[in-house]
């Protein structure tokens, strides 16, 4: 990854992170239809159980919680970086076309041992195998460690989800153990800020 920017766009005040081939951008209302359709791709909800909710439920969460919490998160960063338990959800936008092709988020996952701030991601079946999710994960890791008070990040991936496990490993998160969540087996990974700073040269290329 290169040319990473953590500045909001000046014209629309929409927060973005500039990566090599993609842009991470805070959710906007116009993303709802595309986001909802992606959550219903079998290739996505196979590995993200419970994300394929009804359109009405998705709209309620999206407008009344997710977009609002994004603003609270970004305000906390502007006030010094203490994000507490706030979450951030970013769309993965393909630079070439401007298409919303997936999402990347960070938040507290109660099922993980503390400190338990998780990063996770999902991408359309039509854009896999091109390195976009790795760029997204590296982009949000760099942003969190560089702009917030986060000291430890976690990630999990279902055992059969080989591509997701590979992305996590490429981002230098360290395998901790296998864990059970809702009767599903996951690989559990962690990365500390100090480890990231040591490995940072490889994560930012």
């Amino acid at each position: 990854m290169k040319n990473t920017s953590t500045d909001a766009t000046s014209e629309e005040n929409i927060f973005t992170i500039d990566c090599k081939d993609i842009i991470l951008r805070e959710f906007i209302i116009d993303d709802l239809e595309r986001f909802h359709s992606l959550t219903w791709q079998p290739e996505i909800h196979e590995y993200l159980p419970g994300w394929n909710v009804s359109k009405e439920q998705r709209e309620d969460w999206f407008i009344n919680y997710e977009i609002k919490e994004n603003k609270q998160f970004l305000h906390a960063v502007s006030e010094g970086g203490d994000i507490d338990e706030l979450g951030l959800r970013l769309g993965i936008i393909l630079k070439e076309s401007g298409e919303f092709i997936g999402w990347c988020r960070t938040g507290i996952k109660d099922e993980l041992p503390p400190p338990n701030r998780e990063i996770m991601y999902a991408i359309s079946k039509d854009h896999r195998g091109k390195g976009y999710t790795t760029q997204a994960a590296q982009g949000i890791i760099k942003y969190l460690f560089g702009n917030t008070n986060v000291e430890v990040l976690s990630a999990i991936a279902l055992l059969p989800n080989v591509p997701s496990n590979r992305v996590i490993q490429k981002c230098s998160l360290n395998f901790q153990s296998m864990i059970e969540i809702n009767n599903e087996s996951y690989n559990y990974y962690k990365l500390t800020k100090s480890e990231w700073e040591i490995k940072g040269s490889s994560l930012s290329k």
Side-chain angles (χ1 to χ4, degrees):
M1 185 181 67
K2 63 181 180 180
N3 298 329
T4 301
S5 168
T6 57
D7 296 328
T9 57
S10 58
E11 292 184 1
E12 300 179 11
N13 199 33
I14 301 298
F15 174 79
T16 62
I17 300 174
D18 187 9
C19 304
K20 181 182 176 183
D21 301 303
I22 60 163
I23 292 170
L24 298 179
R25 172 179 52 67
E26 66 175 294
F27 285 172
I28 58 175
I29 294 295
D30 288 348
D31 294 330
L32 176 59
E33 290 288 342
R34 178 62 174 163
F35 183 37
H36 179 66
S37 68
L38 288 179
T39 63
W40 277 88
Q41 285 187 359
E43 295 83 358
I44 288 182
H45 65 69
E46 175 185 4
Y47 295 121
L48 293 177
W51 279 69
N52 55 328
V53 297
S54 69
K55 177 66 178 300
E56 293 75 19
Q57 179 66 80
R58 176 60 60 198
E59 183 174 5
D60 177 43
W61 288 346
F62 194 79
I63 295 174
N64 297 317
Y65 298 97
E66 295 171 343
I67 288 180
K68 286 185 177 180
E69 190 173 22
N70 275 353
K71 295 299 185 185
Q72 294 170 341
F73 184 105
L74 295 169
H75 177 73
V77 172
S78 71
E79 292 293 308
D82 183 357
I83 57 175
D84 194 29
E85 295 189 356
L86 293 168
L88 179 67
R89 297 93 171 166
L90 304 172
I92 302 175
I93 311 301
L94 190 60
K95 281 187 179 180
E96 185 177 57
S97 63
E99 181 184 359
F100 185 108
I101 62 172
W103 67 91
C104 186
R105 70 176 296 273
T106 177
I108 303 301
K109 190 169 186 66
D110 293 335
E111 295 89 346
L112 298 180
N116 64 357
R117 176 163 290 275
E118 181 194 27
I119 60 166
M120 65 81 62
Y121 43 80
I123 196 163
S124 168
K125 63 182 176 61
D126 301 316
H127 295 282
R128 296 186 173 182
K130 300 176 183 178
Y132 298 150
T133 47
T134 300
Q135 290 181 38
Q138 289 176 347
I140 200 167
I141 289 169
K142 183 174 183 179
Y143 173 73
L144 290 169
F145 281 146
N147 296 274
T148 76
N149 62 335
V150 170
E151 293 291 333
V152 182
L153 289 171
S154 303
I156 60 172
L158 286 165
L159 269 59
N161 191 349
V162 174
S164 185
N165 280 278
R166 187 178 299 122
V167 167
I168 294 169
Q169 293 159 6
K170 284 181 179 179
C171 292
S172 295
L173 278 83
N174 300 304
F175 176 77
Q176 303 297 304
S177 63
M178 283 175 42
I179 61 172
E180 295 283 329
I181 300 176
N182 297 326
N183 298 316
E184 297 273 12
S185 296
Y186 292 81
N187 287 325
Y188 167 46
Y189 302 84
K190 283 172 56 177
L191 178 66
T192 67
K193 184 175 181 178
S194 60
E195 290 169 337
W196 174 80
E197 288 173 340
I198 293 171
K199 301 173 182 179
S201 58
S202 64
L203 289 174
S204 59
K205 290 180 180 177

